[in-house]
Amino acid sequence: MSWSALPPELARADLLGLAYLGTLRADGRPRIGPVEAHLWEEELLIGVMPRSLKARDLARDPRCTLQSLVADPDSGKPELKLYCRAVEAEGEPPGAWWTGRPAADARVYSLQVEEAALVEWNLRSGEMTVTGWSPTRGLQTTTRPYP
């Protein structure tokens, strides 16, 4: 599913930019690394270097996850978690590291979102609200105390 088809509660473009990409290694172990995530023509795009381990992982198994950055655990900033399939794509969003470079310098992927979650923190009351979505379960929101 493209970014534009996500429920508006989860289509939080303000949480994109530098993010963590989780992929699967050949032996099934997870790998995580930073990527730039950009919205371009209603698609969520990432670019990776063609000889990178991320590119190898995605070529072998397109399942991946994208997690917004958490720079300060006490900031209260929401966390966006996307569970996706990476599909090779084209696009040169303004400001993307690969924009203007030869096509051989980058592999560009559209992340097709299969499930999503947004975690929001109410630091004053010590509560977290998790809004999750999948095509089968729809949109569900739960609030609970933390830690």
Side-chain angles (χ1 to χ4, degrees):
M1 169 176 297
S2 72
W3 175 265
S4 61
L6 272 177
E9 297 88 342
L10 298 173
R12 294 284 304 269
D14 62 309
L15 298 176
L16 298 177
L18 192 57
Y20 294 114
L21 179 72
T23 60
L24 294 170
R25 299 174 190 221
D27 65 4
R29 291 183 302 147
R31 182 187 320 275
I32 190 164
V35 294
E36 289 180 24
H38 295 271
L39 286 179
W40 178 249
E41 298 179 354
E42 299 189 20
E43 294 294 321
L44 177 57
L45 300 180
I46 61 166
V48 299
M49 293 181 286
R51 293 178 303 279
S52 70
L53 296 173
K54 289 178 235 178
R56 287 186 213 166
D57 290 347
L58 293 173
R60 186 185 54 262
D61 187 337
R63 294 176 297 167
C64 60
T65 186
L66 189 76
Q67 160 79 46
S68 63
L69 283 185
V70 178
D72 178 358
D74 296 321
S75 72
K77 183 178 175 182
E79 298 175 37
L80 182 63
K81 303 165 188 283
L82 304 174
Y83 306 92
C84 312
R85 287 197 179 268
V87 177
E88 285 203 54
E90 293 181 5
E92 294 194 4
W97 70 265
W98 66 89
T99 296
R101 293 179 183 255
D105 286 355
R107 288 236 171 89
V108 178
Y109 292 93
S110 171
L111 297 185
Q112 304 298 300
V113 180
E114 296 179 337
E115 292 186 34
L118 178 69
V119 181
E120 297 175 285
W121 305 96
N122 184 329
L123 300 178
R124 282 183 154 161
S125 65
E127 292 181 328
M128 64 185 281
T129 300
V130 179
T131 302
W133 170 86
S134 78
T136 54
R137 291 188 315 270
L139 194 65
Q140 298 178 338
T141 301
T142 305
T143 299
R144 63 180 181 259
Y146 75 91

